[in-house]
Amino acid sequence: MDRISWDQYFMAQSHLLALRSTCTRLMVGATIVRDKRIIAGGYNGSVSGSTHCVDDGCYVIDGHCVRTVHAEANALLQCAKFGVPTDGADIYVTHFPCLQCCKQLIQSGIQTVFYAEDYHNHEYAIELFEEAGVKTKKVELEYLAVDTKYQEKLELVEKLFTELESPGSKADINELKSEAERLFSN
């Protein structure tokens, strides 16, 4: 039996962390690793004790949810809070970091950013990573199937059965089919 690679192991951890996200716009997880040991993890969510997007909707200004602390920042802040140095560490993130997170990762001494999915990869972030000597490497999660849309799928299937069971149903089959294709495709 082949063992899971380190990159897949740490990326799976980040996908697992993303399931704790409280932002409905995008679920992101981040795992900071040094010497093949996890030193911190984070997910995007509201400030501790504050209202969460899942409870009250996203607070969007200029196209960005300002209610959430990003996964990378939460992981870095966890290290700062508990006195764990990040210099020379790596980070595994479910999505390419935004520009602000890019700058924070550089300043904290992260040496390699592994990411699973491209997400509005900002040209300046890419330039800053290169300038700072921070390597970026795309590592798509292959080994494990982590379904971040399981709740949406369950709700759709329940809605589908309810619609089909109701007498004289006028369910828009094409709309339901389109939604199912979106949720069940890779």
Side-chain angles (χ1 to χ4, degrees):
M1 179 176 110
D2 290 337
R3 292 171 60 189
I4 187 172
S5 73
W6 286 112
D7 285 346
Q8 289 294 304
Y9 174 77
F10 296 127
M11 192 56 75
Q13 176 68 31
S14 294
H15 280 275
L16 187 61
L17 282 162
L19 295 175
R20 289 282 305 152
S21 173
T22 62
C23 185
T24 56
R25 295 183 80 219
L26 185 67
M27 298 169 71
V28 180
T31 305
I32 300 177
V33 175
R34 185 185 315 100
D35 300 324
K36 296 193 177 16
R37 299 286 181 261
I38 296 171
I39 60 173
Y43 52 87
N44 57 331
S46 300
V47 173
S48 296
S50 187
T51 301
H52 295 280
C53 298
V54 293
D55 300 324
D56 209 23
C58 290
Y59 183 10
V60 179
I61 297 176
D62 295 329
H64 299 283
C65 180
V66 297
R67 188 184 306 276
T68 59
V69 179
H70 289 193
E72 302 92 326
N74 267 325
L76 291 171
L77 290 166
Q78 187 179 61
C79 287
K81 184 175 183 176
F82 295 106
V84 179
T86 55
D87 196 36
D90 299 323
I91 191 165
Y92 288 78
V93 191
T94 57
H95 297 77
F96 191 87
C98 73
L99 181 57
Q100 294 305 315
C101 287
C102 159
K103 293 187 276 187
Q104 293 169 19
L105 294 169
I106 291 168
Q107 289 298 94
S108 68
I110 294 293
Q111 66 181 10
T112 306
V113 175
F114 297 90
Y115 65 98
E117 295 181 41
D118 292 300
Y119 185 74
H120 305 299
N121 302 22
H122 197 286
E123 287 182 34
Y124 188 49
I126 295 167
E127 182 182 324
L128 285 174
F129 279 142
E130 289 173 3
E131 190 178 282
V134 174
K135 297 179 204 100
T136 59
K137 182 179 178 188
K138 189 170 187 176
V139 176
E140 295 181 37
L141 185 62
E142 300 166 352
Y143 193 84
L144 301 172
V146 177
D147 190 352
T148 59
K149 297 178 185 170
Y150 75 95
Q151 190 66 43
E152 288 176 81
K153 289 177 182 178
L154 179 62
E155 289 168 7
L156 175 67
V157 170
E158 288 173 355
K159 179 180 174 183
L160 180 62
F161 284 139
T162 301
E163 285 291 326
L164 294 175
E165 289 173 347
S166 66
S169 173
K170 294 185 180 176
D172 185 344
I173 299 300
N174 288 329
E175 182 181 316
L176 291 169
K177 182 180 177 186
S178 176
E179 180 68 5
E181 287 170 350
R182 180 187 72 80
L183 288 173
F184 288 93
S185 69
N186 294 335

